[in-house]
Amino acid sequence: KMYANAVENMQIGLYIWQLSSKDGEDTLRLIGSNPAAFAATGVDTEALVGKPIEDIFPALVDTDIPQTYIQVARSGQKRDLGEIVYGDENIEQSTFTVKAFPLSNQCVGIAFENVTERRQYEQAHREQEEQLRIIFNQAGIGMARLSTTGQWIQVNQKLCHLLEYSNSELLEKTLSEITHPED
């Protein structure tokens, strides 16, 4: 009961698939999921229990992902699939981190997290950092970043020109080393 409660309340999506054969062909059928799976994908799997993976996630048909899940169920070896981009008519294209792990009775657990917003934030952050770097380096005024001890951390070319030091020379000095004592 404690494990069932943990699965219901965990913040990572979980699907449990069971390996079965249909007309001699291996397939995976959904046997369970948790609320976080619904939150991450928007797919209400309660009504889909017992359905094959290709009916629930049709865009997986042309990938090696179902075969990877089958190999995990058969081999008993867990797999980190890394980041997977997925989308279909029911799921907006999103980026998921996915891990597959073996369970008893020819089952495989799939733990996943929708990291789309995080990746978009990280990309926007990288773009902002690049814009700030360009502004800093191209500024028409001397600019620098200093540590609390007065060590130069970053200087732009205009400041180097004004102080008549190269970038590398300034980064090896402190502010007090190049400042007149009375200043």
Side-chain angles (χ1 to χ4, degrees):
K1 184 175 179 174
M2 180 175 63
Y3 288 113
N5 192 24
V7 168
E8 286 296 311
N9 289 298
M10 69 186 204
Q11 302 301 302
I12 295 173
L14 177 68
Y15 288 124
I16 300 175
W17 301 93
Q18 186 167 40
L19 180 60
S20 64
S21 281
K22 180 182 174 188
D23 302 325
E25 226 176 284
D26 289 330
T27 191
L28 295 162
R29 296 195 178 280
L30 183 67
I31 62 171
S33 67
N34 69 348
F38 172 72
T41 64
V43 175
D44 184 6
T45 53
E46 293 287 323
L48 300 173
V49 170
K51 299 266 187 203
I53 194 168
E54 55 270 11
D55 288 358
I56 301 170
F57 300 109
L60 290 180
V61 171
D62 295 328
T63 71
D64 63 348
I65 293 171
Q67 275 308 117
T68 301
Y69 293 172
I70 289 169
Q71 288 172 354
V72 168
R74 284 192 178 135
S75 71
Q77 300 293 314
K78 61 185 174 184
R79 293 275 308 269
D80 183 344
L81 282 73
E83 290 188 359
I84 295 172
V85 176
Y86 182 85
D88 62 29
E89 63 275 356
N90 297 317
I91 300 174
E92 184 178 332
Q93 186 167 330
S94 301
T95 303
F96 299 91
T97 57
V98 180
K99 294 182 180 183
F101 54 94
L103 297 167
S104 60
N105 299 324
Q106 293 286 296
C107 291
V108 59
I110 307 302
F112 65 97
E113 187 176 5
N114 188 331
V115 295
T116 305
E117 286 181 13
R118 184 181 324 151
R119 295 301 175 253
Q120 290 169 342
Y121 169 79
E122 290 169 353
Q123 178 63 30
H125 185 71
R126 281 190 298 275
E127 289 170 4
Q128 287 175 342
E129 283 181 336
E130 179 62 17
Q131 289 172 352
L132 288 173
R133 187 187 64 73
I134 291 169
I135 290 168
F136 182 88
N137 289 331
Q138 300 299 319
I141 60 171
M143 295 176 67
R145 287 183 28 219
L146 296 159
S147 72
T148 56
T149 62
Q151 182 72 42
W152 300 96
I153 297 172
Q154 183 181 16
V155 295
N156 70 357
Q157 194 57 43
K158 183 67 174 183
L159 183 64
C160 292
H161 179 72
L162 289 170
L163 298 177
E164 298 180 352
Y165 284 95
S166 72
N167 188 300
S168 59
E169 288 172 326
L170 274 177
L171 294 177
E172 291 174 0
K173 297 186 178 296
T174 63
L175 179 61
S176 60
E177 290 176 324
I178 66 162
T179 307
H180 189 277
E182 292 178 15
D183 289 342

